[in-house]
Amino acid sequence: MTDPTSYKAGLWRFVPATVQAILFGFFCTYLAPVSGGQIFDYVYPWVPALGIEAAFRVDALSLLFALLITGIGAICFLYAASYFEADRRLKRLLTLMSLFAAAMLGLVLADDAITLFVAWEMTTLTSFLLVGFDHQKERARYSAQQALLITGIGGLALMAGLILMGEAAGTYRISEMGDLTNAPMYLVILLFIFIGAFTKSAQFPFHFWLPGAMAAPTPVSAYLHSATMVKAGVYLIARLSPQLGGTDIWIWTLTLVGAATMVVASFWALRQTDLKLMLAWTTLMGLGALMMGLGGGSYYAVGGALTFIVVHAFYKAALFLTVGLLDKGAGTREADQLSGLRRAMPRAFIIAMLAGASMAGLPPFVGFIGKELIYEGALQSPVQGIFAATASLIASALMIAAAGMVAIGPFFGEQKSPKEAPKDPSPLMWVGPGLLAVGGLLLGLFPQGLDALITQMTQTVRGEYGAPEVKLWHGVNTALFLSLLTFALGALFYRYLRAIQGSLIIEERRVPDSDRVYDILLNAMKNTAAWTARTVQDGRMMSYLRVTFITLGLMVWAAIFAGEGQVATLELDIPLFHWVIVAITAACTITILFTGSRLIAIAALGGVGAAIAVIFVLYSAIDVAMTQLLVEILIVAFVAIAFIKLPRAGTGALRIGDAIVASVLGLGVTFGMLAVQGADIALDVTEFFEQASYPEAAGRNVVNVILVDFRALDTLGEVAVVVIAGIAALAALRAGKRIKE
Amino acid sequence: METVLAMLTGLLVAAGAYLMLSGNLVRYILGLALLSNAANLVIFGAGRLTKANPPLIPEGMKEPLEGAANALPQALILTAIVIGFGLFCFALALAYRAYYALGTARMDSMRIAEPREDS
Amino acid sequence: MNSSLILRTGTRALVPVFLLVAILVLLRGHNEPGGGFIGGLLAAICVALYEKAFGVDEARRWLRLPPMTIAGIGLAAALLGGLWGVVEHGMFLTGVWPLYEYGPDGWTGWPVGSVLLFDTGVFLVVVGVVAAILFALEEAGIPEDRPEDGEEHS
């Protein structure tokens, strides 16, 4: 970004939006058959050896998500193309967002657990890159890392959960897994899946990364962190409901976690002054409501939750983009600095009103239907109904106040904004959110379009027939009364918004929040890592060498104790000459240990080698003996040349610790060899070599035939290693100057 | 002889390890030489010791005599000796180079890769 | 050179004999104890002896080719021996004996072929690498000011 004013992106910037629109159209063609109950499977082999397939399935649930991803994707890509049209980073932004869109599509369409996991991780990674888009800013880097760590940990848990599911079911095709609630590992599976879903969908107490992720550019926040990616956890829970759902622990965990997220988030939403952050907290509220609804299990609860996915995607993406309009057009997102803009920015105003009304759940917007269904579902839930209904009531009322903050606050009253002449940005920017806002109204007026799809989805999730009717007027019932109560409470909350904000700001300092816990844990982890590195890797070569030998010793002894063979019977009855040779070897070895003279040490080393050569001769290894003897001559010659150029060895004091380490290792080798000799020996390979050596390889020296024919590849590798060792030694010997004086 | 060979090998390993732990480059190299000899003896012992006949096929026969020594470990050791020799040469060159470049043969003073934190 | 007259004279007489033995050991290695490794080590000892008697420069001239070139030729020969098997039998490193026949009387004819080429490669690698390291070790300078533990020079 040398000079942002001079840059204007070319027409290519509309390509990604077009691609998304085409994909949206493509998925629309599935709408009719899928609403009629058809399911499309596409299976390609991927890693056949492990039973992993690239399996995809278009059913009502995945189709709805695919439509949201591509539809809202098209709008957000279009918006981004003009939001960043004077920014050289647009290419990077659109590339990353396109990658994300592909990954997200893969996630919702996948029918193979491993495919799903890979796509899931791809969304985590692209989200990390997009949150850290402004990587020059420390805050963005911090938030990106936080989002990555939280969702990454969730991803690991998800992988464990999916693998356990696959093993329990005997297949990795999700649609073929069947009911796993009686699987022996059910609770463990559930724990892992929940951690995966709750971290991704920012459920309490993992919720804090989502407001942090608002460091991303506005189109990204609208797309990833409100409409699509954060719903992946919800999608997962919905997708796995037939396999894992219906148990008490399922119902209660989802209800409690969802309700806690919902209530906590809607309170903190009111505390925010940055409208984008405020929307992020209301997104958390929506996600909590979805989790709670899916946990409810009744067809109203599930249907309500699934309807709410659509509802939420429409109004929340529209509002996020509207906040972007305010930011561009009026110069800030701070609620305090904006008011009375309805004449200056009429289009933003209309969009905000429409979307805000849907968010508040006013009739005849689709938000009203969503809220009604959630109430209905809460009331119908067998046990936790009252609890869920109360939580929904509080959260929805607070949501009305929040909707007021974004839809009323900036537009009414005296005109005020940081920019001198606030005005609507170009049509390319407001047409997308406008479509979403109007769509929210149309879906509310004509909910029949949604009805068939929701029915199919509810059936997919619940695995049995029966779904709520998606319509505007459900008659006079408890849900309607709850709605009226919500409106009253909401109006009250909005009226006293300032007072609530004030007390929340005071509370904020006292309430322990998980963001701080995260920081503490992260720091503790860093400190532990630093301490471990300092302790284990102290930079002293001798420490490393000691650790190596101690480990080696322990491994040898462990092998002895783990082995089945018994120690061979001791047999010391050998000819005197053999004893002499052994004694010479031992004496030379001990001489090397204790001599301070290099010359004696070299001579003794030669003695050890020669004596061992004799042992080889005595036990019929002529070739080996010859090699040993010749190599020993060369070693002695080389060492003699080299040691002249090295300092005297010196003996030093007896090092008890090292002596113990060395003795333990040496004794281990002795007993290990005795144990090996006590075990049976397999001679079939040797016998093959003996029989094939002459007729097939034309050689009478079996050892040589093994080297140059049967196992010639080993020998070839070996001579290559010798050449490499030679080159390396030459390099070391001829290298230039001293590093340090 | 197997028993005695096991004891001898243990002695070689212990002496080699002790020398390598001494912290002096020269003694380290001596230890390395002992250790590679010991490794060959381990393989040799594992293949059983035979005094009768080397693994050669006499003229006019198609297989070695009954009870010939096990050829497989011998081939392995032969390879191991030569590889060990290559490695030993490299270690020798490296030791020389380290001493020449760093001006010390004390291994604990060689800290180019991981310098002391306080310096 | 400061080596003794006896060493120099002895070397002149012995080295040809040693080299002949080394080559014989290489050739008969397939049927009797011996082979590329042992022959190569014997030849390497010849080189070392020559170097001790006449010095590095003279030894380099006597070898004619640079030692690492010899090793390289050896590696190439071993590879060629392997590739010969590919050409004849489609399998890398399978033995090929163009002049050697297996009949009821055992193998008859000339025992030359890919295996011998391979073993010669091994021989050359050993000679080359040992000579290279030996020369480099001899030529490497003694650090002039040997600090701390450098108490003595010989």
Side-chain angles (χ1 to χ4, degrees):
Chain A
M1 279 208 315
T2 43
D3 185 7
T5 51
S6 67
Y7 179 76
K8 179 134 177 11
L11 280 177
W12 55 261
R13 71 186 193 273
F14 298 116
V15 171
T18 316
V19 171
Q20 294 294 318
I22 292 170
L23 280 172
F24 180 75
F26 169 71
F27 283 115
C28 278
T29 61
Y30 283 95
L31 211 45
V34 168
S35 297
Q38 259 182 281
I39 289 170
F40 298 86
D41 277 315
Y42 302 92
V43 181
Y44 310 95
W46 185 11
V47 191
L50 296 176
I52 297 172
E53 299 161 317
F56 300 99
R57 161 172 278 229
V58 183
D59 59 7
L61 185 61
S62 57
L63 180 62
L64 177 90
F65 271 92
L67 287 172
L68 286 180
I69 292 162
T70 50
I72 296 185
I75 286 166
C76 290
F77 279 89
L78 180 68
Y79 186 89
S82 36
Y83 195 82
F84 273 96
E85 78 181 343
D87 193 324
R88 284 176 201 282
R89 298 174 301 170
L90 178 62
K91 222 173 260 180
R92 182 152 65 92
L93 182 76
L94 289 178
T95 310
L96 288 174
M97 282 175 73
S98 301
L99 266 178
F100 165 79
M104 193 67 208
L105 272 179
L107 196 165
V108 297
L109 293 173
D111 191 26
D112 177 89
I114 304 299
T115 314
L116 185 144
F117 170 73
V118 171
W120 181 284
E121 290 294 83
M122 286 278 295
T123 63
T124 299
L125 287 178
T126 42
S127 162
F128 163 74
L129 292 170
L130 284 165
V131 173
F133 189 71
D134 279 322
H135 55 81
Q136 300 91 341
K137 292 187 188 142
E138 201 198 336
R139 185 71 216 164
R141 293 199 302 272
Y142 172 85
S143 298
Q145 189 200 44
Q146 191 180 51
L148 180 69
L149 284 179
I150 301 291
T151 51
I153 288 168
L156 285 179
L158 174 71
M159 180 174 75
L162 288 175
I163 288 175
L164 285 176
M165 281 181 76
E167 293 304 313
T171 174
Y172 281 86
R173 285 282 284 281
I174 296 168
S175 54
E176 289 169 6
M177 278 180 180
D179 187 6
L180 295 177
T181 48
N182 291 321
M185 298 283 272
Y186 176 67
L187 284 181
V188 184
I189 293 175
L190 210 55
L191 177 75
F192 282 136
I193 296 291
F194 276 159
I195 291 177
F198 291 167
T199 49
K200 194 78 162 182
S201 282
Q203 295 297 297
F204 185 83
F206 306 112
H207 60 283
F208 52 90
W209 71 264
L210 185 56
M214 291 302 123
T218 299
V220 172
S221 303
Y223 188 40
L224 271 72
H225 303 120
S226 91
T228 55
M229 188 188 87
V230 289
K231 297 225 174 75
V234 175
Y235 169 80
L236 183 75
I237 295 297
R239 177 55 80 201
L240 299 181
S241 282
Q243 284 80 27
L244 303 172
T247 58
D248 279 350
I249 184 161
W250 170 273
I251 293 173
W252 277 101
T253 312
L254 287 175
T255 306
L256 288 177
V257 169
T261 311
M262 200 167 154
V263 175
V264 169
S266 45
F267 268 108
W268 288 123
L270 293 191
R271 180 254 169 273
Q272 308 303 325
T273 54
D274 180 340
L275 288 174
K276 192 174 162 190
L277 266 183
M278 191 276 284
L279 287 177
W281 283 98
T282 62
T283 303
L284 288 176
M285 176 266 167
L287 295 168
L290 290 171
M291 284 291 178
M292 199 180 78
L294 289 175
S298 71
Y299 66 78
Y300 266 102
V302 172
L306 295 172
T307 314
F308 190 63
I309 290 175
V310 186
V311 174
H312 182 261
F314 268 81
Y315 76 69
K316 192 51 63 67
L319 285 176
F320 261 111
L321 297 177
T322 309
V323 169
L325 294 181
L326 283 171
D327 202 4
K328 277 267 154 152
T332 186
R333 307 191 304 238
E334 285 295 323
D336 300 347
Q337 299 172 28
L338 295 168
S339 66
L341 292 169
R342 67 181 184 282
R343 283 198 186 78
M345 301 180 68
R347 292 175 184 91
F349 169 60
I350 293 169
I351 296 165
M353 285 306 285
L354 290 174
S358 191
M359 173 170 168
L362 295 175
F365 290 90
V366 72
F368 176 73
I369 301 178
K371 191 164 44 123
E372 291 278 286
L373 283 171
I374 286 181
Y375 281 148
E376 195 65 48
L379 289 170
Q380 288 202 353
S381 297
V383 205
Q384 81 290 22
I386 301 298
F387 179 76
T390 316
S392 306
L393 180 68
I394 299 173
S396 303
L398 290 165
M399 215 39 30
I400 292 178
M405 271 178 77
V406 64
I408 301 176
F411 297 103
F412 288 92
E414 196 185 333
Q415 183 169 333
K416 185 172 88 174
S417 71
K419 264 198 186 170
E420 285 293 311
K423 62 172 179 21
D424 279 326
S426 78
L428 285 176
M429 284 184 69
W430 56 257
V431 71
L435 276 175
L436 288 171
V438 173
L441 176 62
L442 290 178
L443 273 182
L445 290 172
F446 309 104
Q448 300 85 340
L450 211 50
D451 192 32
L453 195 62
I454 297 287
T455 306
Q456 288 299 333
M457 279 168 70
T458 313
Q459 218 174 307
T460 310
V461 172
R462 299 190 63 238
E464 55 187 273
Y465 188 73
E469 213 177 329
V470 181
K471 57 183 182 184
L472 204 53
W473 181 247
H474 279 267
V476 181
N477 53 17
T478 326
L480 187 66
F481 281 118
L482 279 176
S483 277
L484 293 176
L485 189 58
T486 314
F487 295 141
L489 265 177
L492 214 60
F493 281 142
Y494 188 63
R495 170 74 183 73
Y496 294 105
L497 185 61
R498 296 241 159 240
I500 296 173
Q501 274 185 348
S503 56
L504 280 173
I505 287 171
I506 296 168
E507 281 302 309
E508 191 177 41
R509 299 204 193 91
R510 282 195 278 165
V511 183
D513 78 90
S514 20
D515 201 358
R516 235 169 292 158
V517 176
Y518 165 84
D519 280 341
I520 292 168
L521 282 178
L522 197 64
N523 279 329
M525 212 165 78
K526 282 182 192 161
N527 290 337
T528 315
W531 178 84
T532 317
R534 270 199 310 276
T535 316
V536 178
Q537 304 191 348
D538 62 355
R540 291 160 45 104
M541 247 195 277
M542 297 322 295
S543 312
Y544 301 158
L545 210 52
R546 244 164 240 137
V547 169
T548 310
F549 277 117
I550 289 171
T551 313
L552 191 61
L554 290 178
M555 280 166 65
V556 170
W557 279 105
I560 293 171
F561 284 115
E564 287 164 12
Q566 61 218 37
V567 170
T569 39
L570 295 183
E571 154 258 330
L572 301 170
D573 182 24
I574 54 172
L576 182 65
F577 178 62
H578 296 191
W579 273 117
V580 172
I581 297 297
V582 170
I584 291 174
T585 320
C588 288
T589 309
I590 291 164
T591 309
I592 300 174
L593 270 184
F594 292 107
T595 182
S597 154
R598 285 172 296 183
L599 209 60
I600 294 175
I602 294 168
L605 188 63
V608 171
I612 290 176
V614 175
I615 293 178
F616 286 139
V617 174
L618 290 178
Y619 292 94
S620 315
I622 311 296
D623 283 270
V624 178
M626 285 163 78
T627 314
Q628 167 78 17
L629 198 64
L630 294 171
V631 161
E632 212 54 48
I633 292 170
L634 284 170
I635 283 186
V636 168
F638 278 27
V639 168
I641 300 170
F643 276 16
I644 292 172
K645 299 170 184 187
L646 287 171
R648 201 162 57 174
T651 49
L654 178 68
R655 291 162 287 120
I656 302 288
D658 290 344
I660 292 172
V661 171
S663 308
V664 169
L665 179 60
L667 279 175
V669 170
T670 299
F671 279 100
M673 284 179 75
L674 291 177
V676 167
Q677 284 156 3
D680 291 332
I681 183 168
L683 285 170
D684 35 348
V685 179
T686 302
E687 275 161 17
F688 164 77
F689 287 147
E690 285 175 350
Q691 284 157 15
S693 176
Y694 186 68
E696 288 181 32
R700 297 183 180 281
N701 179 354
V702 182
V703 174
N704 183 267
V705 171
I706 293 175
L707 285 174
V708 298
D709 199 318
F710 295 134
R711 304 296 309 160
L713 194 61
D714 295 353
T715 310
L716 185 65
E718 186 208 342
V719 292
V721 170
V722 168
V723 170
I724 292 165
I727 292 171
L730 283 193
L733 288 170
R734 291 188 180 158
K737 301 180 200 78
R738 288 191 175 187
I739 297 168
K740 167 166 101 176
E741 286 305 317
Chain B
M1 182 67 183
E2 271 94 344
T3 314
V4 184
L5 188 73
M7 292 175 181
L8 183 66
T9 311
L11 174 71
L12 283 169
V13 169
Y18 184 77
L19 285 167
M20 288 173 83
L21 285 170
S22 73
N24 178 294
L25 266 186
V26 175
R27 288 167 76 76
Y28 177 90
I29 285 174
L30 292 169
L32 185 66
L34 289 183
L35 206 62
S36 51
N37 271 323
N40 296 336
L41 288 183
V42 169
I43 304 176
F44 197 52
R48 303 296 187 273
L49 305 183
T50 314
K51 262 197 281 186
N53 290 298
L56 297 170
I57 300 168
E59 204 69 47
M61 291 183 67
K62 286 179 184 168
E63 277 180 43
L65 295 170
E66 196 64 30
N70 192 345
L72 185 61
Q74 292 196 19
L76 291 179
I77 299 168
L78 211 152
T79 317
I81 292 174
V82 180
I83 285 229
F85 177 55
L87 174 75
F88 183 79
C89 290
F90 177 59
L92 209 56
L94 214 54
Y96 165 80
R97 175 73 196 135
Y99 174 59
Y100 192 81
L102 303 172
T104 177
R106 283 216 310 268
M107 291 163 67
D108 261 349
S109 311
M110 300 177 172
R111 306 192 53 143
I112 295 291
E114 290 179 77
R116 265 174 224 287
E117 275 172 24
D118 47 301
S119 64
Chain C
M1 259 343 274
N2 53 5
S3 60
S4 70
L5 183 66
I6 298 171
L7 178 59
R8 275 179 282 164
T9 320
T11 304
R12 271 193 213 289
L14 278 178
V15 160
V17 183
F18 260 53
L19 274 180
L20 197 67
V21 172
I23 290 167
L24 277 178
V25 164
L26 163 70
L27 292 178
R28 64 163 220 165
H30 213 50
N31 292 316
E32 306 292 330
F37 282 118
I38 298 168
L41 286 166
L42 268 172
I45 288 172
C46 285
V47 177
L49 202 61
Y50 200 89
E51 188 275 329
K52 274 289 155 204
F54 302 103
V56 178
D57 295 336
E58 189 59 35
R60 277 189 195 282
R61 265 195 295 281
W62 179 67
L63 272 183
R64 288 186 179 72
L65 287 174
M68 280 318 274
T69 309
I70 296 176
I73 293 170
L75 199 54
L79 268 173
L80 276 178
L83 290 174
W84 196 349
V86 179
V87 175
E88 288 289 320
H89 300 300
M91 284 277 280
F92 190 54
L93 287 167
T94 304
V96 184
W97 304 96
L99 307 173
Y100 215 28
E101 292 281 333
Y102 186 66
D105 304 332
W107 287 88
T108 47
W110 287 90
V112 288
S114 73
V115 172
L116 187 62
L117 184 61
F118 183 86
D119 221 6
T120 313
V122 173
F123 178 96
L124 291 175
V125 166
V126 173
V127 178
V129 171
V130 172
I133 296 176
L134 175 76
F135 294 168
L137 263 178
E138 282 286 15
E139 284 167 339
I142 298 173
E144 279 161 24
D145 53 327
R146 289 200 285 178
E148 25 176 330
D149 25 24
E151 300 100 333
E152 56 168 17
H153 277 244
S154 59

